[in-house]
Amino acid sequence: MPELHDVEGFCAIAAKHALQQNIQQVQVEKERVLEGLSAAVLGRKLHNHTFTDAHRHGKLLFLRTGREGWLFLHFGMTGSLEMRDKQDAIPDHTCIHFQFKNGGGLCYLSQRLLGKVGWCDDLDAFLAEAEIGPDLLADDLTGDDFVRGLSEKHGMLKPALMDQSLFAGIGNVLSDEILFQTRLPPDTEIADLKENTLRDLFGPARRICRTLARAHRAQRDIPKHYLLAHRHKDGSCPRCHQKLSHKKVAGRTSYFCSSCQSA
DNA sequence: CGGGCCTCCTGGTAGC
DNA sequence: TGCTACCAGGAGGCCC
């Protein structure tokens, strides 16, 4: 689930419900998801503190704690973030439960345990160390940056779009959507594209991310004319209604319309 | 260098 | 019904 737009939704949940709440207890149900610190240390860092800011960068969510640092949450393939009301039970697959003084709580879920939760003192240093590039929706990211980044890569376009060190936030689903809306086949080689074609990806890519991020933030449905709304076996192209094709590209199942997306 | 394949995990589902 | 194989929206490592 968690690509840029999904994490934007989690970020909205955290921003709306979890900020300024006194953290009474941190229950770590699955210590495996912790990276670089123990449950005890995490508990000590957060006990009696509050989250003061929620920030998304690519597929990562950062929750600031006072001036002392940031908790980072990576969701892997199946992670999510849910608020728990006072009277509610802790949901299945909860790995970490941040329990607030008011009785409610914030739950980090990861069914397949492929996500990671950890701590960093400096957000920018952390991103640099992890070699995570600028967020695709960053205000200061330009079309020139985008074209330069992609044209320095070799091979297929799809894995380049998904390369978090280039631009952060695009995963398998978003890359399929971008390719669909720009009518490029999923196995397109970067070398076969003109610079203008690369440039023409920038606007749609950002628009798609922004639209889906807004939808997730507001818990609205995704637009019906998006591939994403039809992206499954048996799904049909929302443009020409032909049955969608799928094949492995760069190791990931890619959905596309063989009629609308042709070289 | 890129691409293919495997791995970390769990669980839902298609097929027998 | 029960079993198995396979697949899933991430990402890193290894080999060719």
Side-chain angles (χ1 to χ4, degrees), chain A residues 92-104:
Chain A
D92 288 346
H93 310 302
T94 295
C95 296
I96 305 179
H97 175 224
F98 304 93
Q99 196 189 326
F100 301 133
K101 204 170 185 176
N102 69 6

Side-chain angles (χ1 to χ4, degrees), chain A residues 12-101:
Chain A
I13 289 171
K16 188 169 176 191
H17 301 287
L19 299 187
Q20 314 308 338
Q21 297 286 345
N22 183 286
I23 301 164
Q24 196 172 50
Q25 200 194 352
V26 180
Q27 282 168 258
V28 178
E29 308 283 345
K30 307 279 182 189
E31 190 140 11
R32 163 182 284 276
V33 301
L34 289 181
E35 188 169 80
L37 81 176
S38 66
V41 170
L42 179 65
R44 228 174 296 140
K45 280 184 182 294
L46 294 179
H47 177 67
N48 249 337
H49 286 68
T50 61
F51 294 127
T52 55
D53 193 11
H55 174 74
R56 183 193 59 74
H57 184 108
K59 303 175 188 174
L60 285 164
L61 179 62
F62 293 89
L63 297 176
R64 187 170 205 170
T65 306
R67 277 185 213 82
E68 293 162 33
W70 299 83
L71 182 76
F72 72 80
L73 302 105
H74 175 262
F75 297 91
M77 277 171 69
T78 52
S80 63
L81 199 67
E82 291 182 15
M83 275 310 296
R84 184 189 61 81
D85 284 335
K86 197 176 188 171
Q87 67 277 9
D88 294 343
I90 295 175
D92 288 346
H93 310 302
T94 295
C95 296
I96 305 179
H97 175 224
F98 304 93
Q99 196 189 326
F100 301 133
K101 204 170 185 176

Side-chain angles (χ1 to χ4, degrees), chain A residues 87-144:
Chain A
Q87 67 277 9
D88 294 343
I90 295 175
D92 288 346
H93 310 302
T94 295
C95 296
I96 305 179
H97 175 224
F98 304 93
Q99 196 189 326
F100 301 133
K101 204 170 185 176
N102 69 6
L106 184 69
C107 301
Y108 168 83
L109 285 68
S110 182
Q111 186 189 69
R112 250 173 279 162
L113 306 178
L114 296 178
K116 286 287 169 216
V117 172
W119 188 267
C120 67
D121 296 322
D122 183 299
L123 207 153
D124 290 330
F126 173 82
L127 293 171
E129 166 73 18
E131 296 183 9
I132 294 170
D135 187 84
L136 190 70
L137 289 183
D139 291 337
D140 54 359
L141 185 71
T142 68
D144 285 342

